[in-house]
Every structure is written in C-alpha cells, then in structure tokens.
Amino acid sequence: MALNRIQGHNIYVGGVLALRNKVALREANITHIVSVLRMRPEETLTESFENLKIQVDDSEDEDLLQYFSSANAFIQSGLDAGGSVLIHCAMGKSRSVAVCIAYLLHRDPQAWNPETLLKVIQQSRSVAEPNDDFMSQLWLYHEMGCPDDVQDHPMYMRWVSNRHIELSTACGRAPEMDVVRFEDELPSRESMAGERSIEVRCRKCRRILATTPFINPHDKNDSRTSSKTPQSLDCAHIFLHPLTWMRPSLFPDSVDKTSTDNAPLSGRLTCPNAKCEANVGKFAWQGFQCSCGKWVVPAIGVARARVDVTDQPAAAVKNVADAASNINNNTNRLGAMGIRLPPHMRATHTDSHRNNL
C-alpha cells in the first residue's frame, strides 16, 4: 500500500507515490499533507489539501530537528480539525518517519523514546528506518524534553555550534570564534531540583574553572541510558563546554575577538589565574578519545590529576547560599543603622566576586 496508518492515530506515512493514490487519500480522510523532501511534488497533487513543505534531503548533514516544532503544530491542527494527516517523503522510509516520531514524542515524551516509537511505526510500515543522524536528532529532541520551540533551546544551539565545528575540522582548520558558544556568556541556567552541584577547581591555586551547568555530560555508557552524573569517576578528563577563560588558549591571536586565522586545532588549557597559569588540561576541536574509550567531539577537557572536584547535593549548596544571604542582609542592616562593623564583617566588592567565572 502507498500509505500506512499509524496504530491509534489518524496519521499516515507514505512515499511520494501516495499523492497519486486519490482513492486511498479519500478513504483515509486525508486533509493535511506534510511533504518532507527537497524535490517539489507537482502542485496539482497537493492543491486540494493543507500542505506543509519541509525541504531536506535524506542525508546525515541535514538539520531536520529545526522543523520539528512547525511540523508538530501543523499535524496537530489537522487532527484537531477532524481530519487525517499524511506525512510523506520520497520512499516513506526515513524523513517522513522521523517527523512522525517527533510528533508522537512531543505528545507524550515521558511515555516514549525514539527507539520504541520506531518499533511501533514499523508494525504498520515495515520499511520505516530513519538514517542514523536523524535518529540522533530525535534522541537529542527527546533529551531536550520535546519543547514547543526548538530553535531557541540552548541544547539545540549548542548542537548547531558543534556541527559548525565538525565542518571546520573536517576541512583541517579550527572553527571561527563567532560560531563557538562560550556558555558562561549566555543567560544563566539554574540547576534542576535534586541535581548534584559540582565545582571544578585548579588544584594549584584553587580558582574555580567550571560548575555543573558548564560540564559536558560524558559517560562510558551512551547518553540515552546513562545516569545524570556528569562524569565517570575513573575517566582521566572532565569535559567542559567552551568558557570565557579558555578564549586565550582556544584563540590566542584574537585581539579584536574576530581574528581567528591562526587558531590552533588543538593545544593546552591553562589556568586563567595570572599568578598561576598552570597547565590544567587540553583541547582538540577534532576530538580525542577519553580514557574510558569514548570519543568526544569537540573535546575540551581538564585533567582530573590537575584539578579538584567537589560534589554535593544541590540542597546543601542552596542552604549555604541562603545562610550567606542572611548574613549579608543582617550585615547590611547593621551598617544602614550607622553601627561600625568589625573588619571581619565588612563585605567588600572584591570578596563578593572573587570566585565568579
């Protein structure tokens, strides 16, 4: 059959030939069509339907993820109107199946994952098999929580940045600095409730190098099945997202923050403390293999032998922060009353910012 109904939904998946099967379209009550292919079908084939066109090829360098939000909204509008939706590509095997999985994930991300949904679709359409990169994008979408807005999500923007980096390294050169996301220059992100808080400090001078939001999750197991612990304890490196203090190492010749012609593909990371400048790790835009065997791209890692890591529940960190806030508030009130405070109680601007990244 040119099109197959997904069990439990008024959604059909098929190839481009399904558009010519007018009898099947009418019997399926198709009112909305999602065309996921670069070539444009004859206008006469879709003119009597609501039609969304997503122009991508079935290749592993395509960004299909950016279209999930608009496709989900379009599919939902067709179902809400009481009709049925056909999602098609050239063969009804890869692109159309990926878009269908994304919609079903968005409906209930807690109940499904991309692999289980693919098996559900294969029960109706046995040829269903998105290419490996589309499946990776679906796993990323699932990890993001299947948001309504994909393109403004931090994880999507980081993924796009990493794709640019991979493209540059494939050409044998470091990426341009304007495509690299320096995570601590972006709006701050709070840790999730119950998440453990980690600090990574230079072992020599104790300067904070990174905290939980800036650690690049990496585990021996695949990220789809691993725990939320950012690093295996026996890995030789802790991998980080790009941070401002790394800029002199990553782009040593960038004076005006735009010149990156001579940026190295790999090199050392040094402590940003001018009185320390200890070697704390290394980077390789093209990636390198961790001691656990996993290949990390891009790889920006501090050596576990050169840093100290503290790990404690987020609740404990919050209690400490709250206590410090109360002390500061009480101190401020005393000062406002004209009471001269002893030296050890006088907060200074330098003290309050000493450990900022």
Side-chain angles (χ1 to χ4, degrees):
M1 188 177 178
L3 64 159
N4 299 97
R5 181 173 180 266
I6 306 305
Q7 184 177 0
H9 304 275
N10 290 327
I11 300 174
Y12 293 74
V13 174
V16 71
L17 292 180
L19 299 180
R20 298 185 179 277
N21 193 336
K22 299 299 183 182
V23 174
L25 295 176
R26 184 168 56 252
E27 290 180 349
N29 189 33
I30 299 297
T31 58
H32 291 61
I33 294 177
V34 182
S35 300
V36 197
L37 71 172
R38 183 77 64 182
M39 55 179 269
R40 299 176 68 90
E42 298 174 26
E43 294 293 336
T44 56
L45 296 178
T46 58
E47 62 184 3
S48 59
F49 305 93
E50 293 291 328
N51 185 212
L52 173 66
K53 297 180 175 65
I54 300 175
Q55 298 189 29
V56 295
D57 291 321
D58 184 20
S59 63
E60 297 194 353
D61 59 355
E62 286 280 11
D63 179 1
L64 185 59
L65 181 56
Q66 64 179 308
Y67 299 108
F68 287 169
S69 296
S70 57
N72 291 342
F74 180 82
I75 294 169
Q76 191 61 53
S77 69
L79 299 177
D80 290 344
S84 297
V85 180
L86 168 65
I87 309 172
H88 82 89
C89 53
M91 302 297 294
K93 179 181 179 180
S94 180
R95 289 164 286 185
S96 57
V97 175
V99 170
C100 184
I101 291 175
Y103 170 76
L104 296 175
L105 279 175
H106 183 262
R107 280 176 56 91
D108 195 351
Q110 302 300 321
W112 303 100
N113 66 49
E115 199 66 43
T116 54
L117 280 174
L118 176 57
K119 292 178 181 177
V120 169
I121 294 174
Q122 286 173 336
Q123 292 175 6
S124 302
R125 190 170 182 84
S126 59
V127 299
E129 187 181 6
N131 71 50
D132 290 343
D133 196 61
F134 289 165
M135 286 301 294
S136 295
Q137 292 179 41
L138 286 165
W139 277 107
L140 175 60
Y141 183 57
H142 185 252
E143 187 179 351
M144 290 163 59
C146 306
D148 291 329
D149 184 1
V150 169
Q151 296 192 52
D152 287 336
H153 195 283
M155 292 179 67
Y156 171 78
M157 292 188 285
R158 184 186 305 127
W159 177 77
V160 170
S161 174
N162 286 345
R163 283 171 75 95
H164 284 300
I165 292 171
E166 290 179 11
L167 181 61
S168 296
T169 57
C171 298
R173 57 178 297 171
E176 295 294 324
M177 190 164 61
D178 60 359
V179 305
V180 177
R181 283 168 51 88
F182 290 92
E183 298 277 330
D184 54 334
E185 296 177 353
L186 303 172
S188 61
R189 291 165 290 156
E190 296 181 358
S191 298
M192 296 177 62
E195 184 179 349
R196 300 187 72 83
S197 178
I198 292 176
E199 284 186 351
V200 181
R201 293 176 179 266
C202 172
R203 179 163 294 179
K204 183 177 179 182
C205 72
R206 308 296 299 155
R207 203 274 195 189
I208 295 180
L209 301 177
T211 53
T212 301
F214 307 122
I215 295 176
N216 185 3
H218 157 254
D219 196 89
K220 289 181 180 179
N221 302 314
D222 192 276
S223 61
R224 305 166 196 170
T225 58
S226 64
S227 68
K228 293 298 182 181
T229 303
Q231 293 274 259
S232 294
L233 293 178
D234 54 351
C235 289
H237 285 83
I238 300 171
F239 292 94
L240 307 177
H241 297 300
L243 297 171
T244 302
W245 65 263
M246 302 172 184
R247 187 179 272 114
S249 296
L250 302 178
F251 301 101
D253 295 331
S254 60
V255 178
D256 57 1
K257 296 189 177 183
T258 58
S259 174
T260 58
D261 292 341
N262 299 317
L265 268 173
S266 60
R268 297 193 312 166
L269 291 176
T270 58
C271 176
N273 183 347
K275 296 182 179 180
C276 176
E277 296 186 335
N279 177 17
V280 293
K282 61 181 181 178
F283 71 92
W285 291 116
Q286 69 274 29
F288 63 77
Q289 191 174 33
C290 178
S291 59
C292 70
K294 186 171 182 179
W295 191 268
V296 182
V297 181
I300 302 175
V302 291
R304 200 174 283 273
R306 298 179 180 273
V307 298
D308 289 322
V309 181
T310 58
D311 181 3
Q312 56 186 318
V317 176
K318 184 179 186 302
N319 290 339
V320 171
D322 289 345
S325 177
N326 290 335
I327 292 172
N328 288 337
N329 289 338
N330 291 335
T331 299
N332 291 337
R333 282 196 292 269
L334 291 172
M337 295 169 59
I339 300 175
R340 181 178 174 84
L341 303 176
H344 71 277
M345 294 183 64
R346 299 173 193 166
T348 66
H349 179 80
T350 302
D351 290 338
S352 63
H353 291 77
R354 180 174 296 162
N355 286 331
N356 285 352
L357 289 175

